[in-house]
Amino acid sequence: MNEIQTRFMFRLSLEVGAHHVVGQSPISSRRIAPVAGGTFEGPELSGIVLPGGTDWIIVDPAGTWFRMDVRLPLQTNDGELLVMAYQGWRSGSPDALERLGRGEEVDPAEYYYRVACGFETASPKHARLNTIVAIGNGWRLPSGPGYDIHEVL
C-alpha cells in the first residue's frame, strides 16, 4: 500500500474581522468573514497575511458543522506574493460550537477542524507551490483561527 506522507510547511494564524451575516437563504445559512491579516511561519516559508482575504462560511441550521471556503493573499518574508485557497469543515457537538461562537477557548479535541489547501504564485522562487496539495489541522481561538499546514508528499 502506498501510504500518504506529509511534511510540515507552516503555522498560519489569522485575524478575522466582524462577520457579515447574510442569514438563511434558499441555499444555506451564509456568513462572510473578512480576514484582516495574520502570519505564517515555517522552516521554509514564512511571512504575513495581507488584508483582503475572505472566509465564505455555510452554517448548518442545527449548529453541528461549518463549511469554509477561504482565499488569502500571502506575502513571504522575501517579498513574494502567493494566493492560498482552502476549503474545509469544522464540526462538533452543538455545545462545543456554541462555545466557540461565543469566543471561548475550546479544546480542539472537542471538535473536528480540517482543511485542504492549494497555492498560486507567479514567483519563480516559489513556483513549486503551484502544483502541490496541502492539508491542515485547525483550531479556533478568540482572536481567530489557526492552522498547522502540511504538504502532502
Side-chain angles (χ1 to χ4, degrees):
M1 174 185 274
N2 188 11
E3 293 194 25
I4 293 176
Q5 298 179 12
T6 63
R7 177 176 55 215
F8 177 73
M9 291 180 70
F10 54 81
R11 176 164 279 188
L12 175 67
S13 300
L14 300 178
E15 301 162 11
V16 178
H19 290 201
H20 306 293
V21 178
V22 176
Q24 184 64 48
S25 74
I27 298 170
S28 67
S29 179
R30 169 78 68 183
R31 59 183 163 183
I32 303 162
V35 179
T39 61
F40 59 101
E41 293 188 34
E44 298 177 26
L45 198 62
S46 297
I48 60 171
V49 179
L50 298 171
T54 54
D55 184 352
W56 293 71
I57 304 165
I58 297 172
V59 182
D60 170 28
T64 59
W65 57 261
F66 292 65
R67 174 79 171 137
M68 295 149 288
D69 186 1
V70 180
R71 302 287 184 279
L72 300 172
L74 307 179
Q75 183 175 24
T76 63
N77 285 343
D78 58 5
E80 301 293 333
L81 296 179
L82 313 171
V83 175
M84 179 181 181
Y86 63 88
Q87 295 78 41
W89 295 92
R90 186 171 76 206
S91 61
S93 70
D95 174 66
L97 296 182
E98 284 173 18
R99 288 184 286 138
L100 285 170
R102 289 193 301 266
E104 297 177 23
E105 283 198 39
V106 178
D107 183 344
E110 292 189 51
Y111 56 95
Y112 181 88
Y113 196 173
R114 304 292 185 270
V115 296
C117 316
F119 300 90
E120 182 179 346
T121 185
S123 165
K125 182 175 182 179
H126 300 293
R128 75 172 204 84
L129 296 175
N130 289 319
T131 59
I132 70 164
V133 173
I135 56 174
N137 292 328
W139 59 89
R140 185 70 164 91
L141 299 174
S143 58
Y147 305 90
D148 281 339
I149 304 299
H150 301 262
E151 178 181 357
V152 177
L153 301 175

